[in-house]
Amino acid sequence: MLSLIGIVIVVVGFMARLNPLLVVTVAALVTGVAGGMGPVEVVETFGKAFKENRYVSVVWVVLPVIGLLERAGLQERAKTLIGAIQAATVGRLLLLYFILRQATAALGLTSLGGHAQMVRPLIAPMAEAAAETHYGELADDTRQTIRAHTAAADNIALFFGEDIFIAIASILLIKGFLEQNGIIVEPLQLSVWAIPTAVCALAIHGTRLMLLDRRLARVLSDARPVEAAQ
């Protein structure tokens, strides 16, 4: 049970808003020592894990590229493109992205989307531009609402889409958990039964996005006459 003290350290550290990297490192060290490992053995375990999973760090190479593209006007070009399409609305744009994100995740292509590489530099600015095309300049709280829905669309589509792909970590995790409790299932069975869940997620969240369009139209249309009068 002492090994669980690392969870307490993480919770307390995050609540205190301490450096996340420092909190996680201390939690890992304390967990290892509480589990009967020596300090040197804990550090060796860190090194072994990093060596075996170093390919995970490759994703950070993409971040400078995204930064350079943004500096070169990627967001502005995305806004210009979507602003020229009168039929584009926030809900329609996010629903289209939701479908594409869920479909690619179902094929195992989970890296094609994401907050860093797609949501922040492309999808969120395009959604804001779609709103600005119809309602003009947006208030800060409206921008934050649109950005939140953009991030949610990516999260939900990925979460319910990736389980359809048979060779994904979540499927293996579910299979292992069920086997520990005496329930034997094949990964293919889990993937097949993930399809109805993904369809329901698409229908439910698609409805939410259409309602978002109606809410934005009601709120922003009411605000424009007031601004014009001022």
Side-chain angles (χ1 to χ4, degrees):
M1 295 295 292
L2 286 176
S3 300
L4 298 178
I5 195 174
I7 299 176
V8 178
I9 294 175
V10 170
V11 172
V12 173
F14 284 178
M15 289 179 61
R17 299 183 180 275
L18 300 177
N19 187 301
L21 182 60
L22 179 61
V23 171
V24 173
T25 302
V26 172
L29 288 170
V30 173
T31 300
V33 173
M37 301 172 64
V40 176
E41 190 177 359
V42 173
V43 175
E44 288 179 349
T45 304
F46 279 169
K48 180 180 179 182
F50 177 78
K51 178 181 178 182
E52 293 180 350
N53 300 280
R54 59 186 180 276
Y55 63 88
V56 176
S57 303
V58 174
V59 69
W60 298 106
V61 178
V62 180
L63 295 182
V65 177
I66 296 174
L68 289 173
L69 289 174
E70 288 191 14
R71 188 186 180 106
L74 177 63
Q75 290 190 4
E76 287 72 14
R77 299 305 302 173
K79 288 182 177 180
T80 302
L81 174 64
I82 204 67
I85 305 176
Q86 292 295 324
T89 64
V90 176
R92 291 172 184 172
L93 176 66
L94 295 185
L95 179 58
L96 177 60
Y97 177 69
F98 187 99
I99 295 173
L100 293 175
R101 180 68 161 138
Q102 193 174 64
T104 53
L107 297 175
L109 304 175
T110 57
S111 299
L112 290 184
H115 291 194
Q117 58 268 45
M118 283 293 291
V119 172
R120 183 186 183 280
L122 282 177
I123 307 301
M126 292 171 72
E128 293 175 28
E132 290 173 347
T133 299
H134 295 280
Y135 308 111
E137 186 65 26
L138 303 176
D140 184 65
D141 58 342
T142 302
R143 290 187 184 277
Q144 298 303 327
T145 298
I146 293 174
R147 292 171 184 175
H149 277 276
T150 307
D154 185 274
N155 286 346
I156 297 171
L158 175 63
F159 185 86
F160 290 100
E162 65 179 0
D163 286 346
I164 300 175
F165 186 63
I166 191 173
I168 202 76
S170 56
I171 289 291
L172 302 179
L173 177 62
I174 296 171
K175 174 178 169 58
F177 177 80
L178 292 176
E179 286 185 354
Q180 289 178 0
N181 291 273
I183 303 174
I184 307 301
V185 294
E186 294 298 325
L188 180 59
Q189 293 176 282
L190 295 173
S191 297
V192 170
W193 282 103
I195 296 176
T197 309
V199 173
C200 289
L202 173 60
I204 294 171
H205 198 68
T207 302
R208 292 187 66 217
L209 292 174
M210 293 301 99
L211 292 175
L212 173 64
D213 266 348
R214 295 179 60 180
R215 178 157 64 93
L216 289 175
R218 182 178 66 254
V219 173
L220 298 180
S221 295
D222 292 343
R224 291 182 71 181
V226 175
E227 293 177 357
Q230 292 176 348

